[in-house]
Amino acid sequence: MPFEFGIKDIIDIVLVALMLFYIYRLMKESRSLNVFIGIMVFVLVWLFVSQVLEMRLLGAIMDKLVSVGVIGLIVLFQEEIRKFLYSLGAHQRLRGVMRFFSSSRGKGSQANHENILAVTTACMHMSRGRVGALIVIERSIPLDEVIDTGSAGQLIDGVVSYRLIENLFFKNSPLHDGAMVISKHRIKAAGCVLPVSHDDKIPKELGLRHRAALGISQQSDAVAIVVSEETGNISVAIKGQLHLRLSAEELESLLTKEMAEI
């Protein structure tokens, strides 16, 4: 019987290719690219042994390894899988808002603009006074685990204003050393503890605030803003990348670009 190749097979191949490409990009962002390559090599060897060579014993052993390995991969990459599912949910919500609640878009844009101005103004004032600060702005991936940091953080749920931001990061404030989280156009919490990045490429002159900002940007799609206490320089961490020594105008422009979809 001749092999039939139709439009359904083309769609199947395209979908598998897209899935592999997305997994590849996800592994690359999470610094697990070598693990992904190793998995792909194992899968190719497994298919070659079981389907082409038809080695029953070796194929059966590799079948068992694959069935057990799937559970191991879920445990090993639970953070990446959760991030992937959060991203899917966020895109669905965005489409729903665009389709059914487009009338409320103007209010969201106005709130975004006001929040950006408040954050930029506060960062500019704190930069001049050499007041250290770490501000995290939530986007599509919720930061509930960061907000709920036990006794370390403090729930605020206040309006985003430059005066409140400056007061929370005042040098004698008990919440000065932690991170502030802004979510849904509100200051949700302050004094929060963030995951610290251990990337060797981080310049040695950058301190713990920069490593914490980079860490949260690697584990989520949040935007993290740092004001250095030593130099007064303003930096932003986005998607595992640090943007250093920004002016007030550059900060406002970057935040406007990144916050456009919230």
Side-chain angles (χ1 to χ4, degrees), residues 48-56:
F48 183 75
V49 168
S50 59
Q51 301 296 326
V52 179
L53 299 180
E54 296 183 352
M55 294 181 176
R56 295 183 180 179

mmCIF file of all heavy atoms in Angstrom, residues 48-56:
data_model
loop_
_atom_site.group_PDB
_atom_site.id
_atom_site.type_symbol
_atom_site.label_atom_id
_atom_site.label_comp_id
_atom_site.label_asym_id
_atom_site.label_seq_id
_atom_site.Cartn_x
_atom_site.Cartn_y
_atom_site.Cartn_z
ATOM 1 N N PHE A 48 14.802 5.226 16.769
ATOM 2 C CA PHE A 48 15.607 4.452 15.822
ATOM 3 C C PHE A 48 15.694 2.984 16.260
ATOM 4 O O PHE A 48 15.557 2.066 15.441
ATOM 5 C CB PHE A 48 17.011 5.055 15.721
ATOM 6 C CG PHE A 48 17.892 4.372 14.709
ATOM 7 C CD1 PHE A 48 17.711 4.583 13.357
ATOM 8 C CD2 PHE A 48 18.889 3.504 15.128
ATOM 9 C CE1 PHE A 48 18.514 3.945 12.424
ATOM 10 C CE2 PHE A 48 19.706 2.865 14.207
ATOM 11 C CZ PHE A 48 19.512 3.087 12.854
ATOM 12 N N VAL A 49 15.905 2.764 17.561
ATOM 13 C CA VAL A 49 16.038 1.394 18.076
ATOM 14 C C VAL A 49 14.710 0.646 18.000
ATOM 15 O O VAL A 49 14.657 -0.513 17.580
ATOM 16 C CB VAL A 49 16.561 1.422 19.524
ATOM 17 C CG1 VAL A 49 16.425 0.054 20.191
ATOM 18 C CG2 VAL A 49 18.019 1.857 19.549
ATOM 19 N N SER A 50 13.605 1.305 18.410
ATOM 20 C CA SER A 50 12.320 0.607 18.508
ATOM 21 C C SER A 50 11.572 0.528 17.179
ATOM 22 O O SER A 50 10.887 -0.465 16.915
ATOM 23 C CB SER A 50 11.438 1.284 19.556
ATOM 24 O OG SER A 50 11.212 2.641 19.209
ATOM 25 N N GLN A 51 11.711 1.543 16.320
ATOM 26 C CA GLN A 51 10.930 1.586 15.093
ATOM 27 C C GLN A 51 11.702 1.120 13.860
ATOM 28 O O GLN A 51 11.136 0.443 13.000
ATOM 29 C CB GLN A 51 10.414 3.017 14.852
ATOM 30 C CG GLN A 51 9.549 3.563 15.974
ATOM 31 C CD GLN A 51 8.257 2.790 16.164
ATOM 32 O OE1 GLN A 51 7.674 2.291 15.207
ATOM 33 N NE2 GLN A 51 7.817 2.678 17.415
ATOM 34 N N VAL A 52 12.975 1.473 13.769
ATOM 35 C CA VAL A 52 13.762 1.123 12.574
ATOM 36 C C VAL A 52 14.439 -0.236 12.743
ATOM 37 O O VAL A 52 14.249 -1.153 11.933
ATOM 38 C CB VAL A 52 14.804 2.227 12.284
ATOM 39 C CG1 VAL A 52 15.632 1.852 11.052
ATOM 40 C CG2 VAL A 52 14.118 3.567 12.062
ATOM 41 N N LEU A 53 15.227 -0.372 13.805
ATOM 42 C CA LEU A 53 15.945 -1.626 14.031
ATOM 43 C C LEU A 53 15.061 -2.711 14.648
ATOM 44 O O LEU A 53 15.394 -3.901 14.561
ATOM 45 C CB LEU A 53 17.167 -1.378 14.932
ATOM 46 C CG LEU A 53 18.218 -0.404 14.381
ATOM 47 C CD1 LEU A 53 19.366 -0.260 15.363
ATOM 48 C CD2 LEU A 53 18.733 -0.868 13.021
ATOM 49 N N GLU A 54 13.960 -2.290 15.286
ATOM 50 C CA GLU A 54 13.017 -3.224 15.909
ATOM 51 C C GLU A 54 13.705 -4.161 16.909
ATOM 52 O O GLU A 54 13.470 -5.371 16.925
ATOM 53 C CB GLU A 54 12.265 -4.030 14.853
ATOM 54 C CG GLU A 54 11.389 -3.173 13.953
ATOM 55 C CD GLU A 54 10.591 -3.993 12.959
ATOM 56 O OE1 GLU A 54 10.858 -5.228 12.877
ATOM 57 O OE2 GLU A 54 9.735 -3.427 12.266
ATOM 58 N N MET A 55 14.564 -3.597 17.740
ATOM 59 C CA MET A 55 15.205 -4.362 18.817
ATOM 60 C C MET A 55 14.240 -4.407 19.994
ATOM 61 O O MET A 55 14.040 -3.409 20.679
ATOM 62 C CB MET A 55 16.521 -3.697 19.215
ATOM 63 C CG MET A 55 17.574 -3.713 18.143
ATOM 64 S SD MET A 55 19.108 -2.925 18.706
ATOM 65 C CE MET A 55 20.167 -3.198 17.282
ATOM 66 N N ARG A 56 13.654 -5.568 20.246
ATOM 67 C CA ARG A 56 12.571 -5.666 21.230
ATOM 68 C C ARG A 56 13.064 -5.437 22.659
ATOM 69 O O ARG A 56 12.435 -4.702 23.422
ATOM 70 C CB ARG A 56 11.919 -7.045 21.109
ATOM 71 C CG ARG A 56 11.218 -7.268 19.772
ATOM 72 C CD ARG A 56 10.539 -8.620 19.741
ATOM 73 N NE ARG A 56 9.868 -8.826 18.473
ATOM 74 C CZ ARG A 56 9.199 -9.947 18.153
ATOM 75 N NH1 ARG A 56 9.122 -10.945 19.051
ATOM 76 N NH2 ARG A 56 8.622 -10.061 16.987
#
